């Protein structure tokens, strides 16, 4: 089995409005897409650190919405929501993105998947409306921990 890729996400800032996070997973593209988009999977990896998932609803279709809520160790509720703009299984989703803790931090999020030799590369791009919103996101981010949990979930689903 391939050694884990924990902590291997690459974060770049191509301009003052965007964040691009790239991460590889040792799993087929269709499974990675499912784990990124089905509530029964997302509820198991999205909440970072020791946070507890309390809501995960996903209507995966153009015009459909998602709402994900978790609570951190201090009891703070973190709520994310948006509407799907593009859904192209198993390679791409584009959706609006709003973290309700920062009500002015609206973005458009695109997730693109590409598989080569059994390794699926996820490219996740957040395009914010303004630099202040983008900068806020760079200071508070549990994405790496969530992706480590996503990797662990993929491994468990692939194990006999």
């Amino acid at each position: 089995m391939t050694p884990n890729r924990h902590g291997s996400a690459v974060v770049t800032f191509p301009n003052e409005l965007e964040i691009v996070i790239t991460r590889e997973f040792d799993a087929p593209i269709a499974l990675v897409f499912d784990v990124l988009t089905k509530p029964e999977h997302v509820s198991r990896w999205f909440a970072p650190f020791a946070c507890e998932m309390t809501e995960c609803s996903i209507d995966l279709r153009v015009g459909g919405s998602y709402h994900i809520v978790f609570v951190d160790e201090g009891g703070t509720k973190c709520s994310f929501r948006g509407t799907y703009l593009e859904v192209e299984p198993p390679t791409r989703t584009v959706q609006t993105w709003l973290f309700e803790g920062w009500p002015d931090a609206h973005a458009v999020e695109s997730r693109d998947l590409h598989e080569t030799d059994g390794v699926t590369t996820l490219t996740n791009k957040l395009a914010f409306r303004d630099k202040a919103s983008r900068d806020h996101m760079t200071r508070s981010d549990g994405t790496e921990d969530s992706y480590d949990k996503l990797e662990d979930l993929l491994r468990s689903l692939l194990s006999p």
Side-chain angles (χ1 to χ4, degrees):
M1 180 173 276
T2 305
N4 79 49
R5 296 177 185 269
H6 283 201
S8 66
V10 175
V11 179
T12 59
F13 304 94
N15 58 55
E16 65 182 27
L17 299 179
E18 294 180 340
I19 299 171
V20 177
I21 305 165
T22 306
R23 172 74 188 264
E24 292 182 337
F25 299 96
D26 295 296
I29 192 170
L31 181 60
V32 175
F33 186 86
D34 283 352
V35 170
L36 287 169
T37 59
K38 291 186 175 181
E40 64 267 26
H41 297 310
V42 174
S43 64
R44 295 175 60 193
W45 67 263
F46 189 89
F49 314 117
C51 298
E52 179 185 343
M53 183 71 71
T54 60
E55 182 177 339
C56 183
S57 62
I58 297 173
D59 180 8
L60 187 65
R61 62 181 174 84
V62 173
S65 63
Y66 69 92
H67 187 207
I68 299 169
V69 181
F70 59 84
V71 178
D72 70 16
E73 292 174 308
T76 301
K77 179 176 151 181
C78 300
S79 176
F80 296 84
R81 66 174 63 242
T83 302
Y84 288 99
L85 306 173
E86 294 178 40
V87 178
E88 299 171 20
T91 59
R92 180 174 171 82
T93 61
V94 178
Q95 54 274 343
T96 60
W97 179 96
L98 172 65
F99 173 50
E100 293 179 342
W102 309 323
D104 295 330
H106 293 267
V108 173
E109 177 180 38
S110 62
R111 290 178 171 166
D112 291 287
L113 298 171
H114 177 76
E115 182 181 355
T116 303
D117 299 326
V119 176
T120 299
T121 302
L122 165 65
T123 303
N124 193 93
K125 179 172 84 170
L126 283 163
F128 289 89
R129 292 181 183 175
D130 58 68
K131 186 177 182 317
S133 297
R134 197 279 320 251
D135 290 348
H136 195 119
M137 179 65 179
T138 63
R139 290 192 303 270
S140 301
D141 192 0
T143 302
E144 183 80 71
D145 187 70
S146 294
Y147 283 168
D148 291 347
K149 288 179 177 183
L150 190 154
E151 176 186 324
D152 293 344
L153 176 57
L154 288 165
R155 284 176 173 274
S156 74
L157 294 170
L158 290 167
S159 295

